[in-house]
Amino acid sequence: MENVPDLVRHIIHYSCHLLVPFVIAKLFWKENWWKAGLIMLATMLIDVDHLLADPIFDPNRCSIGFHPLHTIWAGIVYLCLLAIPSWKWRAVAVGLLWHLCTDAIDCILGGHCLFCDFQ
């Protein structure tokens, strides 16, 4: 896929991070959608693992598979959190998984191949 213009890519990326969690929350947790949306928004804290990278920010780097909390193993842990019978923990799990999806979308829009290492 050819690179999408940076402005469009950033609008899509940050809309997915900041707005879509509230849409997802409204769909799954109608009574607690506002709280669920805020919980999902708080899962952006997994980006703290970017502080371990050198340089901390590289606009051409794909987070997926690079940062420890953005790996397939972390994703499996996030998926397991869905088994906890609490809407709050499920909101955390969905927020973390959505975060990984959002970053994967950004990687694809940036021209990165997510599955090239698996070939």
Side-chain angles (χ1 to χ4, degrees):
M1 176 178 210
E2 193 172 313
N3 288 12
V4 173
D6 283 342
L7 179 62
V8 173
R9 182 177 164 199
H10 292 312
I11 290 171
I12 291 170
H13 182 75
Y14 290 107
S15 295
C16 286
H17 272 315
L18 301 173
L19 301 176
V20 173
F22 289 99
V23 174
I24 294 171
K26 190 76 167 167
L27 291 171
F28 289 105
W29 298 284
K30 291 181 185 355
E31 292 180 20
N32 297 305
W33 74 271
W34 183 249
K35 290 179 186 175
L38 290 174
I39 289 170
M40 291 175 66
L41 199 62
T43 62
M44 286 194 5
L45 288 172
I46 69 167
D47 278 342
V48 72
D49 65 357
H50 291 241
L51 297 173
L52 300 172
D54 184 27
I56 291 173
F57 177 73
D58 180 355
N60 297 315
R61 180 172 54 218
C62 179
S63 295
I64 303 299
F66 183 83
H67 300 292
L69 298 176
H70 291 72
T71 61
I72 187 72
W73 304 110
I76 291 168
V77 171
Y78 306 153
L79 198 59
C80 290
L81 289 176
L82 289 172
I84 298 173
S86 161
W87 72 265
K88 293 176 184 176
W89 279 106
R90 289 187 177 153
V92 169
V94 172
L96 292 167
L97 292 167
W98 178 247
H99 184 99
L100 294 182
C101 288
T102 297
D103 285 356
I105 292 166
D106 187 57
C107 291
I108 293 166
L109 294 178
H112 295 276
C113 177
L114 293 178
F115 304 107
C116 290
D117 292 337
F118 299 112
Q119 295 176 353

